[in-house]
Amino acid sequence: EALCSPEPKALAELRAETAKAMPGAAHMVSGHVQGLLLQLLAKLTGARTVLEIGCFTGYSALCLAHAVGVGGVVTTCERDP
């Protein structure tokens, strides 16, 4: 983590809010390093459309949205609202 770019403020706030609202499930948030990996994979493949199955509080969906950029589409499915 020390070698990664800093976590954006909005994502850090989402992670903190998730931990506060759901302390027993906060470990399910993808987290900063995993989010960066998802962004890298989406960018390397040139993804413009992403389908995410199981988005929890949306941390990884926001990371993927950043990767696909303006005009890209991220669709999420969550069975447990």
Side-chain angles (χ1 to χ4, degrees):
E1 281 189 60
L3 300 176
C4 294
S5 59
E7 183 178 35
K9 183 180 178 185
L11 290 176
E13 289 173 354
L14 175 60
R15 193 169 37 77
E17 186 62 32
T18 300
K20 180 180 171 185
M22 296 176 263
H27 66 281
M28 292 173 39
V29 172
S30 294
H32 183 52
V33 175
Q34 291 92 342
L36 290 174
L37 177 62
L38 289 171
Q39 286 179 357
L40 177 65
L41 293 172
K43 287 179 181 180
L44 285 174
T45 60
R48 301 297 298 146
T49 303
V50 174
L51 173 62
E52 182 179 32
I53 309 295
C55 64
F56 191 45
T57 59
Y59 189 101
S60 55
L62 291 173
C63 293
L64 290 165
H66 180 76
V68 299
V70 176
V73 176
V74 176
T75 302
T76 63
C77 301
E78 179 61 59
R79 71 176 202 110
D80 190 16

